Amino acid sequence: MSSAAALPDELWRRILELGITIKTQSLTFKDLCRLSITSTRFRRLSSDDDLWSHLLSSDFSLDRCRSPLLFSKSLYKFRFEREREKKKAAHRREMLRKESQIAEHLKRIKKLKNRLVEEQEKMKATIVELSSLSKIRQASVALNVWQPEVVRGRHKQIVEQNVVPVESRVHAMDMELKLCRQQIRGFEKAYNDEKKRFDTAKEELNSLKYHPLRINESTSGVKGESEANNVERKKRRRCNKVHLVAIMINYSFGAIDI
């Protein structure tokens, strides 16, 4: 720390400029903000207008021209907040789009479920009618053999009540039953596929709604957790400070060699 503090301001400005202008861009606006809270001297050095002018041109593709009304740092803050609002608006639009997709999926799921129930009821009615036609066929066959008069009269009554030929009606009901089963399989597949798409869209919406900072704020009310978070935050701040100073020292050696 003593060797770093002994460097003159001009050399530190050169180090910071190298850290921002190199292609890999080891220093970002976050690094400058973190550096500014380490000491009064670094606060003054990190607020240099040329540094923020470099960041403006690299982060927002702006020409490096000074604004007569705003310093580069203020202009960077303005552009950063505007870009952040754009991202928030895009995020809200994406959430609304996902919610609309979920509503559409729910609508289709409900429609498919109703169609599935209708086909199942239709299949049940077809099975009942096939069973009735089977009894009529058995009664028609029974009329050709000897049987007691009471039983014969009952079978004759069953056959006479049926107007449509039994065989053609049975064939039609068999085809209807096959069609119902085919329709049910198709609706079940469509229902399952739509349910998967609904679950996927719901997971994507939950991931869009997930915000770790808000969750941290809602859970940091407990005293023990709050103290632990404060300690962890201080540790990270110290580590960031040490990391920044180490970067500055590395650049200082490079600048001295230059």
Side-chain angles (χ1 to χ4, degrees), residues 8-237:
D9 289 351
E10 291 76 10
L11 189 55
W12 273 117
R13 289 193 185 93
R14 179 58 179 164
I15 293 170
L16 292 173
E17 185 178 352
L18 287 174
I20 290 175
T21 56
I22 58 176
K23 292 182 179 180
T24 55
Q25 193 178 357
S26 297
L27 295 180
T28 63
F29 75 96
K30 292 182 180 180
D31 297 321
L32 288 182
C33 292
R34 290 168 183 165
L35 186 64
S36 65
I37 64 175
T38 57
S39 67
T40 305
R41 183 187 183 192
F42 281 131
R43 178 180 178 84
R44 175 171 48 81
L45 291 172
S46 62
S47 299
D48 186 75
D49 200 64
D50 288 334
L51 298 177
W52 290 98
S53 179
H54 278 292
L55 287 176
L56 270 173
S57 61
S58 61
D59 292 351
F60 300 110
S61 300
L62 292 178
D63 295 333
R64 293 183 57 193
C65 57
R66 296 178 183 272
S67 173
L69 300 177
L70 291 175
F71 290 106
S72 296
K73 185 176 181 180
S74 301
L75 184 58
Y76 188 96
K77 181 180 179 182
F78 171 76
R79 290 299 303 268
F80 175 80
E81 290 177 350
R82 190 169 70 175
E83 291 295 325
R84 183 174 59 184
E85 290 301 321
K86 286 182 180 179
K87 291 179 181 179
K88 286 182 179 180
H91 184 263
R92 286 193 294 268
R93 288 195 299 269
E94 183 66 18
M95 287 184 62
L96 290 174
R97 189 177 69 85
K98 285 297 175 184
E99 289 175 352
S100 177
Q101 285 182 358
I102 289 174
E104 286 295 324
H105 289 316
L106 280 175
K107 185 178 179 181
R108 292 171 189 166
I109 287 173
K110 186 177 180 180
K111 185 178 180 180
L112 287 170
K113 191 174 182 179
N114 291 335
R115 293 293 303 275
L116 186 60
V117 171
E118 290 175 1
E119 287 297 326
Q120 288 174 346
E121 293 296 329
K122 190 175 180 180
M123 187 178 71
K124 289 179 182 178
T126 303
I127 291 174
V128 170
E129 188 170 354
L130 272 174
S131 177
S132 177
L133 289 172
S134 177
K135 291 179 181 179
I136 294 173
R137 179 191 285 175
Q138 291 175 0
S140 178
V141 173
L143 289 176
N144 298 324
V145 298
W146 182 90
Q147 53 188 336
E149 191 64 28
V150 177
V151 178
R152 183 179 180 83
R154 189 184 305 160
H155 287 168
K156 188 176 181 180
Q157 184 181 3
I158 293 173
V159 173
E160 289 176 352
Q161 287 177 351
N162 184 56
V163 181
V164 182
V166 176
E167 295 300 328
S168 60
R169 186 62 180 167
V170 168
H171 179 71
M173 287 295 100
D174 284 335
M175 296 298 294
E176 185 72 21
L177 184 60
K178 290 179 181 179
L179 181 61
C180 287
R181 287 172 177 169
Q182 184 178 358
Q183 289 283 77
I184 287 173
R185 286 194 296 268
F187 285 137
E188 285 178 346
K189 184 179 183 304
Y191 177 85
N192 292 331
D193 293 341
E194 197 66 32
K195 189 70 168 56
K196 289 179 181 178
R197 286 191 286 268
F198 168 77
D199 293 336
T200 301
K202 198 170 182 180
E203 289 177 0
E204 291 175 352
L205 179 62
N206 290 334
S207 65
L208 287 173
K209 288 182 177 180
Y210 174 72
H211 199 299
L213 294 180
R214 291 174 187 167
I215 294 176
N216 187 32
E217 289 174 0
S218 62
T219 57
S220 62
V222 183
K223 184 177 180 181
E225 292 181 356
S226 178
E227 292 177 355
N229 290 334
N230 290 334
V231 172
E232 186 66 24
R233 195 179 298 112
K234 290 179 180 179
K235 287 182 179 179
R236 287 198 299 267
R237 188 175 296 175

